[in-house]
Amino acid sequence: MNNLFYILLICFFIVPKSFGQNKDDVIKSDTINKNKKFQFVAIPIIFYTPETSFGFGAGAQVFLLKQKNIYNDRVSNVFVDFIMTSNKQFIVDIIPQIYFGKGDYFLDMNFKWKIFPNNFWGIGNNTPNSNEEAYDMTSQILKVSFLKRLPPSLNFGFEYIYENYDVTEVEEGGLLSTGDIKGSDGAVISGFGVIFNLDSRNNVGSPTSGHLLKMNAQFSSELFGATETYNKFIADLRTYQKLGENSIIALQLYYEGNYGNPPFQGLAWYGGGNQARGYYQGRYIDKTLYLIQGEYRYRFKPRWAIAGYGLFGKVANDQKQLFSLNDLKPSAGGGLRFKLLKTQDTWVRLDAGIGVDGSHGIYFGINEAF
């Protein structure tokens, strides 16, 4: 905890003016020259999660000031980062987000390359802690989405997905070494998807009002070079309601279903700093997942806030098992938030969460979990 405190201090004092600005956030500055076409921002990166321990690196963001969405004032940009972690993980991200036709069309791309030593407990909702084993994997992930705006707040479009996973090392005598788990010797996911979303949030990174309804259907097929053929459906519903001047209630319902024979890399993963705090990301994985979480956020000072959350959910092999009330995986926790700049709605978040069977986690990063 002392280390986290020092990291927070570092962020507060060395961070440049535009540090942490969410890729979808609005640029509003009276100092920006109206004839300027580009704005460049250098971003130091510091974070902590159970999966990575401490992570650090650098990023850069180029804003294309003349290409913006006039309907919500979001600006086209290209974001690049290079990250290393104390767990010897290495990550590179390249994320262009470009608006065309004054916001009527949106190109959203994400390329990720990573070397990522990780942990695996098997597949299912009741895998014991004693199953834990380490493995190394190198991944290249490309997602390209093109959406059309349907007034006033709807978006519809298509996406292409390519994910190449090379499992470079597994534990001798472990579950992955048997070869019985699909993807244990590597996997390719390749195919197309359909996206539909309704987004009326007043802010992407730290919303205080509005709603998000996102549905996504993906189809991975051997016809497009995948090692397995399967389908994925995701539904993500969120709402944000004010309770008085300084209090906010945030609610999320998330569902993921996989149909066919996906590799373990393509299954639904329970845990992480956003969807199920208190559990290691991937502590439980299976074909289907649902999660319900709620969070109370109280801004007791203009730049300070506290939050408390509770959640429950599970993974399962099929729908019947998923929606039974047996073996739920709840967690609860909370934390502190600090607004980095008076003029930008970007927050540093420090959370702690506790789940069942000894699961717990500390999370330090930017903006709200959902």
Side-chain angles (χ1 to χ4, degrees), residues 94-241:
I94 303 174
I95 307 173
Q97 296 184 318
I98 312 296
Y99 293 99
F100 300 95
K102 298 182 178 180
D104 286 322
Y105 299 92
F106 179 47
L107 177 65
D108 185 9
M109 298 178 61
N110 188 331
F111 173 77
K112 184 184 295 287
W113 180 79
K114 60 182 183 178
I115 299 173
F116 206 88
N118 208 344
N119 294 324
F120 181 76
W121 287 265
I123 297 173
N125 195 58
N126 295 299
T127 52
N129 291 333
S130 59
N131 273 12
E132 182 179 359
E133 61 185 66
Y135 70 97
D136 291 355
M137 186 164 66
T138 300
S139 309
Q140 300 90 40
I141 300 171
L142 173 66
K143 296 183 180 181
V144 183
S145 305
F146 190 76
L147 286 81
K148 171 70 171 69
R149 176 179 175 268
L150 304 174
S153 301
L154 299 177
N155 298 279
F156 175 80
F158 300 92
E159 67 177 344
Y160 171 70
I161 307 104
Y162 177 81
E163 304 175 16
N164 188 349
Y165 299 99
D166 182 16
V167 179
T168 56
E169 186 175 350
V170 298
E171 281 193 14
E172 185 176 351
L175 295 169
L176 292 174
S177 67
T178 66
D180 295 333
I181 295 174
K182 291 184 182 298
S184 59
D185 57 351
V188 174
I189 297 170
S190 180
F192 292 87
V194 179
I195 303 172
F196 172 87
N197 70 56
L198 184 154
D199 189 355
S200 62
R201 294 172 294 174
N202 65 334
N203 181 278
V204 174
S206 301
T208 58
S209 65
H211 313 280
L212 172 68
L213 166 60
K214 182 177 181 180
M215 292 186 290
N216 188 357
Q218 300 175 1
F219 312 94
S220 179
S221 173
E222 296 178 37
L223 294 174
F224 307 117
T227 52
E228 304 289 343
T229 295
Y230 76 101
N231 304 324
K232 181 189 294 285
F233 176 76
I234 296 173
D236 188 354
L237 291 77
R238 310 180 192 184
T239 185
Y240 307 87
Q241 303 291 333

Side-chain angles (χ1 to χ4, degrees), residues 214-323:
K214 182 177 181 180
M215 292 186 290
N216 188 357
Q218 300 175 1
F219 312 94
S220 179
S221 173
E222 296 178 37
L223 294 174
F224 307 117
T227 52
E228 304 289 343
T229 295
Y230 76 101
N231 304 324
K232 181 189 294 285
F233 176 76
I234 296 173
D236 188 354
L237 291 77
R238 310 180 192 184
T239 185
Y240 307 87
Q241 303 291 333
K242 288 188 175 182
L243 300 177
E245 185 177 352
N246 300 316
S247 298
I248 303 156
I249 286 287
L251 301 172
Q252 181 187 30
L253 169 62
Y254 180 88
Y255 168 83
E256 179 177 339
N258 294 278
Y259 309 92
N261 297 295
F264 82 88
Q265 296 92 338
L267 293 171
W269 290 37
Y270 194 86
N274 294 328
Q275 286 192 347
R277 284 163 287 177
Y279 295 92
Y280 190 101
Q281 186 175 23
R283 173 59 186 87
Y284 301 100
I285 64 176
D286 214 322
K287 283 189 173 182
T288 63
L289 173 154
Y290 83 88
L291 172 72
I292 297 174
Q293 62 178 330
E295 184 165 283
Y296 173 75
R297 302 165 185 168
Y298 177 62
R299 298 186 176 183
F300 61 92
K301 294 285 187 180
R303 298 176 67 183
W304 288 94
I306 56 174
Y309 79 89
L311 65 84
F312 65 90
K314 64 186 294 188
V315 300
N317 185 64
D318 56 40
Q319 306 297 324
K320 183 178 179 181
Q321 296 176 10
L322 182 67
F323 293 109

